[in-house]
């Protein structure tokens, strides 16, 4: 059965055979989410899960069979292979830890540069005997929009100053920052544009709390950015993608559908 689009322009479908099997899609962005009934996986059930690389192949086949692959399959990259583990209680003691799912996280690469942010990603959950239990897809097809002149972009030194100012505002004057590496990436906030950004992997030393941790500061590469980044906490998968790619100068802003 289908429900009409709600305030966030999302249509939701519920299986007439199982109310816990659902599908939803945003009509404006095309983002979709599918979830199969997970109740059979609860308790002490031990599913027969595929090996990580087999899970990747199963995920790719599922996306292709259902028309969910990007038009340029070279853009789709494996960002991370994880899973879901659960434990139960036997009497008053913890039971065994059981692997319930294999989760394949896909990200995007354009012009040899990683794409980070809330968009441009797919997640496939694989369960018992290769069953696809759930899918999340945030992906828009893109096309080159325009060339970027050098005068339209910040230099790396200028971007570094912006990043340090941004982090000082966020973490306070009691913190010091050591920039470990600088990368160029594209940023997708699930809006209209993919735009080039500087990503600074930074060690933050908070003297007040006595804490040290790594953080990724993202700064627009363009002086007049075509769209606000709406920055969120950068996920570890994004950091991994940045680390795996060499710095490459972007030549285009990539534009999604209007």
């Amino acid at each position: 059965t289908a429900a009409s689009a709600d305030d966030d322009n999302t249509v939701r479908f519920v299986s007439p055979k199982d109310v816990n099997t659902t599908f939803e899609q945003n009509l404006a962005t095309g983002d979709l989410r599918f979830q199969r009934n997970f109740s059979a996986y609860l308790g002490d059930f031990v599913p027969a899960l595929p090996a990580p690389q087999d899970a990747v192949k199963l995920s790719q086949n599922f996306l292709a069979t259902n028309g969910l692959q990007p038009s340029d399959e070279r853009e789709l990259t494996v960002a991370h292979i994880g899973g879901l583990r659960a434990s139960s209680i036997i009497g008053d003691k913890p039971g065994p830890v059981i692997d319930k799912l294999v989760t394949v996280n896909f990200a995007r690469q354009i012009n040899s540069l990683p794409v980070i942010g809330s968009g441009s990603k797919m997640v496939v959950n694989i369960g018992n005997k290769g069953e696809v239990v759930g899918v999340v897809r945030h992906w828009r097809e893109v096309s080159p929009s325009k060339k970027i002149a050098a005068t339209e972009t910040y230099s790396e030194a200028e971007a570094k100053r912006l990043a340090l100012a941004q982090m000082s505002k966020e973490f306070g004057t009691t913190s010091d920052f050591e920039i470990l590496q600088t990368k160029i990436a594209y940023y997708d906030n699930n809006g209209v544009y993919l735009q080039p950004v500087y990503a600074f992997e930074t060690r933050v030393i908070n003297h007040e709390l006595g804490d040290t941790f790594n953080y990724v500061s993202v700064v627009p590469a363009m002086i007049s950015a075509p769209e606000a980044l709406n920055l969120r906490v950068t996920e570890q998968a994004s950091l991994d993608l940045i680390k795996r790619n060499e710095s490459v100068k972007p030549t285009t802003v990539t534009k999604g559908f209007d």
Side-chain angles (χ1 to χ4, degrees):
T1 58
S4 59
D6 56 19
D7 291 340
D8 64 359
N9 212 26
T10 298
V11 174
R12 292 176 171 85
F13 300 83
V14 178
S15 170
K17 297 181 180 180
D18 181 0
V19 296
N20 293 308
T21 296
T22 61
F23 174 88
E24 61 183 55
Q25 184 169 28
N26 186 297
L27 299 179
T29 65
D31 291 350
L32 61 84
R33 179 183 297 268
F34 164 72
Q35 182 66 52
R36 197 184 299 276
N37 190 336
F38 191 69
S39 60
Y41 288 80
L42 303 178
D44 59 1
F45 174 65
V46 181
L49 299 179
Q53 290 307 314
D54 291 335
V56 171
K57 293 177 182 177
L58 287 167
S59 299
Q60 291 170 332
N61 289 339
F62 180 87
L63 294 174
T65 300
N66 291 277
L68 300 177
Q69 284 272 42
S71 59
D72 185 349
E73 295 182 8
R74 295 172 300 177
E75 294 180 4
L76 193 69
T77 64
V78 178
H80 178 70
I81 303 172
L84 173 66
R85 286 180 169 174
S87 62
S88 58
I89 300 296
I90 301 176
D92 59 351
K93 297 181 179 179
V97 176
I98 302 172
D99 290 318
K100 299 289 187 177
L101 297 175
V102 179
T103 299
V104 182
N105 294 271
F106 294 97
R108 192 177 209 158
Q109 178 177 281
I110 295 178
N111 298 335
S112 300
L113 296 174
V115 179
I116 61 176
S118 60
S120 290
K121 62 185 62 178
M122 302 189 202
V123 181
V124 181
N125 290 318
I126 304 292
N128 188 45
K129 298 179 180 179
E131 174 188 43
V132 174
V133 177
V135 176
V136 176
R137 187 183 194 272
H138 297 296
W139 200 279
R140 301 194 194 195
E141 295 303 328
V142 296
S143 58
S145 178
K146 70 166 191 173
K147 297 291 184 181
I148 301 175
T151 55
E152 297 180 87
T153 62
Y154 292 111
S155 67
E156 183 176 326
E158 292 169 328
K160 180 179 178 180
R161 285 195 292 271
L162 290 173
L164 291 172
Q166 177 178 290
M167 288 186 287
S168 295
K169 183 177 180 180
E170 183 169 355
F171 297 109
T173 56
T174 60
S175 294
D176 288 328
F177 311 101
E178 178 188 355
I179 293 181
L180 304 177
Q181 65 173 329
T182 305
K183 295 292 184 181
I184 291 288
Y186 284 106
Y187 195 88
D188 182 356
N189 69 352
N190 223 19
V192 175
Y193 291 91
L194 301 188
Q195 58 178 299
V197 294
Y198 286 97
F200 296 95
E201 185 190 356
T202 307
R203 179 176 290 117
V204 180
I205 303 100
N206 188 307
H207 298 289
E208 184 177 6
L209 299 177
D211 191 19
T212 300
F213 54 92
N214 282 15
Y215 178 80
V216 175
S217 178
V218 179
V219 175
M222 298 181 67
I223 296 171
S224 297
E227 188 173 70
L229 294 184
N230 294 328
L231 290 171
R232 299 172 176 85
V233 176
T234 302
E235 299 177 69
Q236 184 61 40
S238 297
L239 177 57
D240 292 341
L241 283 170
I242 292 167
K243 286 182 176 180
R244 288 203 300 265
N245 284 265
E246 298 296 328
S247 293
V248 180
K249 290 295 183 181
T251 58
T252 63
V253 175
T254 309
K255 184 176 184 293
F257 52 75
D258 295 324

